[in-house]
Each structure stands twice: as structure tokens, then as C-alpha cells.
Amino acid sequence: MVRPGRTQPKRGAGSPTAALLSEGLDHHRRGRLAEAARAYKRILRLEPRHAHALHLLGLVQHQQGRQAEARELIEQALAADGSNAAYHNSLGLVLLAEGEAEAAVSAFRAALARDATMAEAFNNLGNAEQKAGRLAEAVASYDRALALAPDNAEALCNKGRALHGLDALGEAAAAYRAALEL
């Protein structure tokens, strides 16, 4: 799942980029992707290496199915600030969408190396591992996600799929039931 604005660098509240970033995030959260993209592009005209605007514009491109553009923008964000776990997580999402499961695994692991409490990255890592055919590893990643966010229905459902693939049908059914209860 894509969630804009999970980690934001601190900027002066009165700066033009801060206002545009706030505007873009509001549009993005409401699903108005074209408007969000316009705000992020305006930031980039003012500050071409603004890591957060590059990242968020990359997420918009990803959400619109333009993976090549998304990847380029997110890689630029990482070049500007490689310490941000959310940027690595987003790169993993793009790589997974491009069918590059092993590269996505690496990106999610890079995110987790920077923030080991990022439940979303553990869930995404499980998805990439599952896509790569490593179902037992995927279950372990979903378990880590669930240890951090026990009410994560998506991770429970994903775990159920992986367990089903491992023919652990009772455990898969239990995971699906728990997801439905949430």
C-alpha cells in the first residue's frame, strides 16, 4: 500500500515549498493525483533536488502505472537522501510492480536496515519474497509485520496466501479468519 507523507523532512513552516508540500500531500491523500503532481512539480521548479517532492512525485507516477518514471524519480530522491527508509520502501514497490522481485527484496531490506519498526516494509518484503517463490521467508516477514502492527489485515491476508501456498491450510484459514475479523 502506498501512503504519502509517512516520513517528511522538516522545513520552515513559512517557506513556499512547505506550503506547496502541504497542498500536494492533501491532494495526494484525497486521491487527486494530477493536482498532487502539479504541486510536487512546482516544488521541483524551485528546488530541483528536493528529495521529498521527488519521492512523492515518484509515488504518483507509480500509482498511475508509470513505473519507469516512478523509478527514476525515486532513485533521484534516494541520491539526494539515501537515509530515508520510506524512499527505499517505495523503490521496492516500483520494482515489484515491474516484476523484479529479487531487486524489490533488496530495496525492502534496505528500508528495514534504516527503520526496523516499519511494519509496511516487512509486509512488502513478504510480498516480494512470495513473488520470488520463497513462501516460508514470506511468512516470517508477515509475522514481523504483524508483531509491529497486530491489526494489519492486509499482512494477515498475505500470510494466509503464503501459508496456502505451503499447504498449511489450517493456518491459512486461521490467518484469513483473523483478517476478516479486522
Side-chain angles (χ1 to χ4, degrees):
M1 182 181 303
V2 177
R3 292 186 183 94
R6 184 183 190 287
T7 57
Q8 296 179 35
K10 303 273 189 263
R11 297 237 181 232
S15 76
T17 56
L20 287 168
L21 187 60
S22 178
E23 175 188 331
L25 284 168
D26 183 58
H27 287 304
H28 206 156
R29 288 184 186 116
R30 295 173 189 262
R32 297 187 301 249
L33 300 181
E35 293 88 345
R38 276 195 290 279
Y40 302 146
K41 287 176 182 177
R42 287 175 60 202
I43 293 169
L44 292 171
R45 280 194 292 278
L46 296 170
E47 294 182 44
R49 293 184 40 87
H50 190 285
H52 206 51
L54 287 163
H55 171 245
L56 291 168
L57 184 56
L59 282 179
V60 168
Q61 297 299 313
H62 168 65
Q63 290 172 284
Q64 293 177 328
R66 294 192 206 67
Q67 304 313 324
E69 294 92 339
R71 185 175 183 168
E72 182 179 328
L73 287 160
I74 294 169
E75 285 175 345
Q76 287 177 41
L78 282 164
D81 179 7
S83 67
N84 192 308
Y87 301 174
H88 289 277
N89 185 62
S90 295
L91 178 60
L93 291 172
V94 170
L95 291 166
L96 198 54
E98 290 181 320
E100 296 183 36
E102 292 300 335
V105 165
S106 295
F108 295 130
R109 286 186 178 148
L112 291 164
R114 287 153 181 82
D115 182 356
T117 65
M118 195 174 188
E120 179 182 355
F122 276 113
N123 183 56
N124 293 335
L125 174 60
N127 291 341
E129 290 165 334
Q130 194 166 173
K131 187 95 165 188
R134 298 197 308 266
L135 300 180
E137 290 177 42
V139 170
S141 293
Y142 298 134
D143 283 340
R144 296 283 304 271
L146 291 163
L148 293 165
D151 61 342
N152 187 333
E154 183 181 353
L156 279 164
C157 187
N158 292 336
K159 179 181 176 180
R161 255 193 3 252
L163 288 166
H164 185 228
L166 290 168
D167 285 328
L169 301 182
E171 291 176 69
Y176 288 137
R177 273 194 295 279
L180 287 170
E181 287 175 14
L182 289 172

